[in-house]
Amino acid sequence: MFLRRAFTLVELLVVIAIIGLLVAILLPAIQASREAARKTQCKNNLRQIGTAFLSHESAHDFLPTSGWGYKWVGIADGGFGEDQPGGWAYNILPYLEENALHDAAMTTSEMEAMFNTFGGSDNVRSSIPAVSTALAVFHCPTKRLVTTYPLDPDPSKDRHRLANNAHDCSVANGCTVARGDYRVNSGSIGARDSPGPANQLLAKNFAWMLRHTQNGISYQRSDVRIGQITDGTSRTAMVGEKYLNPQFYENGKYTADDQCLFSGHDNDNNGYTATDSAVYRPQQDHPGVNQSFYFGSAHAVGLHMAYCDGSVHFVEYEIDDEVWRVLGGRNDETQ
């Protein structure tokens, strides 16, 4: 007859302690591996976006415009130039093989019918499918999930309705919208955004101030050609990760993340490396710190930036102020 020897309590505790120690040692390595994979995906997103920008430039002889302003989203037959109110992300959809989403937006005639009937018409397609489709290529997996996000419910901020040509997307009907984790480079001077004209009839005589004052590669009603990037395409930023206070990742309650991925020139989607005398240093996302127009990311150490030659680089937060500033201007080193 054999006696079975059971574990003692001390032996069990020793085993548990060893397992806990191994987990403590391995967990940081696992987390680092996962973050490395997320960073790789984020870099690949920007590579796809950069390729789409260059394909757009090849097809139209200028880089994607940032549309009319933050109170406008894209229209399907608005073309790719000055008559297109939608922002840069909307304009590169066909070059990301998202033609169906691009064409889901209302047309010019439907927009006119909407305004002529004071905001509603049975002959106008809903704008919700066009603004409420989230795309993974515009999201950094380190920052937030690929999903849609709510509008800011505060009526004092005039955000209870998404856009002049998207009346049916509102807080009242629970519309949620696509947002993105990247900003296009609008330059290094005069950082600001604009609502654009109140309706399409006013666009002809609207004072497009930003169009004539920016030195980036995409901004309000821009049509920047590669030949105008006299600093060199490998020395000029195209699109980079955007800074955002983590407290506002999901709720749409901050002015720099309260519109739509496809909105026109706005601090949601447009960034600057500087403005006049102030440098907008890139920063890591940090609770309690709000920065409009800044580039930054949820990554430690730095952020990814696509350049106008199609390359993608990891830029450290400690980059020299002057080096960072001139990355934003397409011609500030050659003036």
Side-chain angles (χ1 to χ4, degrees):
M1 180 176 181
F2 295 96
L3 295 176
R4 291 187 178 181
R5 185 175 180 274
F7 285 111
T8 66
L9 181 59
V10 172
E11 288 173 327
L12 182 60
L13 291 175
V14 169
V15 171
I16 293 173
I18 293 173
I19 293 173
L21 181 61
L22 291 173
V23 169
I25 293 172
L26 294 175
L27 188 58
I30 294 172
Q31 291 175 333
S33 177
R34 288 176 176 173
E35 172 58 9
R38 290 191 289 262
K39 287 175 67 176
T40 298
Q41 182 59 56
C42 190
K43 183 177 182 179
N44 288 339
N45 288 347
L46 281 168
R47 185 172 286 112
Q48 290 183 64
I49 291 170
T51 299
F53 262 69
L54 296 178
S55 296
H56 180 290
E57 198 277 342
S58 178
H60 304 287
D61 295 323
F62 57 87
L63 293 164
T65 180
S66 284
W68 290 4
Y70 63 77
K71 295 305 293 182
W72 293 90
V73 293
I75 54 174
D77 63 343
F80 295 87
E82 64 180 21
D83 294 327
Q84 176 54 254
W88 63 269
Y90 179 77
N91 285 298
I92 66 171
L93 286 176
Y95 305 100
L96 292 170
E97 299 183 354
E98 293 290 347
N99 301 71
L101 180 56
H102 178 277
D103 295 344
M106 68 173 60
T107 63
T108 302
S109 60
E110 288 174 326
M111 182 173 67
E112 292 173 351
M114 180 191 69
F115 280 112
N116 291 337
T117 56
F118 301 98
S121 170
D122 293 337
N123 297 319
V124 175
R125 80 183 78 182
S126 171
S127 62
I128 292 177
V131 300
S132 297
T133 300
L135 297 174
V137 70
F138 293 109
H139 281 279
C140 175
T142 300
K143 192 185 293 281
R144 54 186 172 182
L145 298 175
V146 181
T147 186
T148 57
Y149 295 91
L151 300 177
D152 187 346
D154 185 352
S156 67
K157 295 182 180 179
D158 190 31
R159 299 292 188 269
H160 54 286
R161 188 174 65 193
L162 176 64
N164 293 331
N165 60 333
H167 287 181
D168 61 336
C169 181
S170 66
V171 172
N173 64 12
C175 181
T176 59
V177 299
R179 294 203 169 101
D181 297 330
Y182 305 108
R183 286 189 168 111
V184 76
N185 169 34
S186 292
S188 60
I189 56 175
R192 56 172 290 190
D193 55 22
S194 168
N199 61 59
Q200 87 282 8
L201 297 177
L202 298 176
K204 184 176 296 185
N205 297 314
F206 187 74
W208 302 100
M209 298 299 293
L210 291 178
R211 183 178 190 179
H212 305 292
T213 60
Q214 308 294 280
N215 68 340
I217 62 99
S218 181
Y219 42 88
Q220 186 182 62
R221 242 185 178 192
S222 64
D223 55 359
V224 177
R225 301 183 303 278
I226 288 291
Q228 293 176 287
I229 306 175
T230 55
D231 287 353
T233 56
S234 64
R235 298 166 60 88
T236 305
M238 177 189 284
V239 181
E241 295 187 74
K242 80 177 186 182
Y243 175 87
L244 185 60
N245 179 343
Q247 294 169 299
F248 299 108
Y249 278 174
E250 300 180 2
N251 57 27
K253 292 184 178 182
Y254 183 56
T255 182
D257 195 57
D258 60 353
Q259 293 300 117
C260 170
L261 171 64
F262 306 122
S263 298
H265 188 116
D266 178 46
N267 55 13
D268 279 35
N269 305 316
N270 295 71
Y272 295 78
T273 60
T275 179
D276 306 319
S277 61
V279 176
Y280 285 175
R281 291 192 57 81
Q283 299 180 26
Q284 184 177 7
D285 293 358
H286 188 75
V289 179
N290 297 327
Q291 303 284 17
S292 297
F293 298 116
Y294 278 55
F295 292 98
S297 78
H299 310 302
V301 184
L303 71 150
H304 296 98
M305 179 74 75
Y307 287 60
C308 290
D309 63 350
S311 63
V312 180
H313 301 278
F314 191 72
V315 180
E316 295 188 358
Y317 299 130
E318 298 303 317
I319 186 172
D320 178 80
D321 278 6
E322 182 62 13
V323 173
W324 176 251
R325 184 187 67 79
V326 298
L327 278 178
R330 66 178 183 270
N331 56 6
D332 50 1
E333 291 186 273
T334 53
Q335 288 179 331

